[in-house]
Amino acid sequence: MSTDGKPRSLANTETFPCVRCGLTVAAVAPDGARRNHCPSCLHSLHLRDECRSRMLPISIAVLRTGEWMVIHRCTRCGELTSNPICGDDNQLILMRMAVRPLAQPPFPLEAFGDL
């Protein structure tokens, strides 16, 4: 029982250790959504196909609804996955990933000078 007399939900107390930084992460984000990645470093664990390898956050995708997704790549098998961001995710890392394509385009920026 919780301090207010209501039964304690297992989902609200479930945690997992981050595979990169070791932070103890609550499996439920403050907004109530299930989480599968560390809010500090955004790394995750690949649970599909019993791969059990680290998933690196490599990019951001924005859905038509405006929802941001973290794109992860498995360090062992290379599989890509997408997961919704959570409200307490590291905003600096999210912004760095979001602006990386603009900061490092695949062509020389000098080409815009001739337009």
Side-chain angles (χ1 to χ4, degrees):
M1 290 281 190
S2 64
T3 55
D4 63 0
K6 295 179 182 176
R8 182 172 286 157
S9 168
L10 178 62
N12 290 338
T13 60
E14 186 180 344
T15 62
F16 60 90
C18 175
V19 294
R20 180 177 176 264
C21 70
L23 180 71
T24 299
V25 178
V28 177
D31 63 2
R34 293 282 300 169
R35 134 184 355 266
N36 72 343
H37 61 271
C38 175
S40 180
C41 68
L42 304 184
H43 283 69
S44 185
L45 180 66
H46 194 190
L47 298 175
R48 293 187 195 159
D49 303 323
E50 299 181 15
C51 183
R52 308 290 299 172
S53 292
R54 187 172 5 151
M55 299 288 284
L56 299 174
I58 61 166
S59 186
I60 297 293
V62 181
L63 303 179
R64 288 184 179 133
T65 61
E67 182 180 16
W68 280 31
M69 306 290 282
V70 177
I71 308 301
H72 288 99
R73 180 186 306 134
C74 179
T75 58
R76 179 178 291 161
C77 71
E79 181 176 351
L80 296 174
T81 63
S82 63
N83 298 289
I85 67 165
C86 297
D88 61 343
D89 283 346
N90 186 317
Q91 295 174 354
L92 180 59
I93 294 175
L94 290 170
M95 289 305 294
R96 283 181 180 167
M97 286 193 298
V99 301
R100 186 179 301 140
L102 298 174
Q104 300 170 346
F107 50 82
L109 290 175
E110 294 77 27
F112 286 112
D114 297 335
L115 296 178

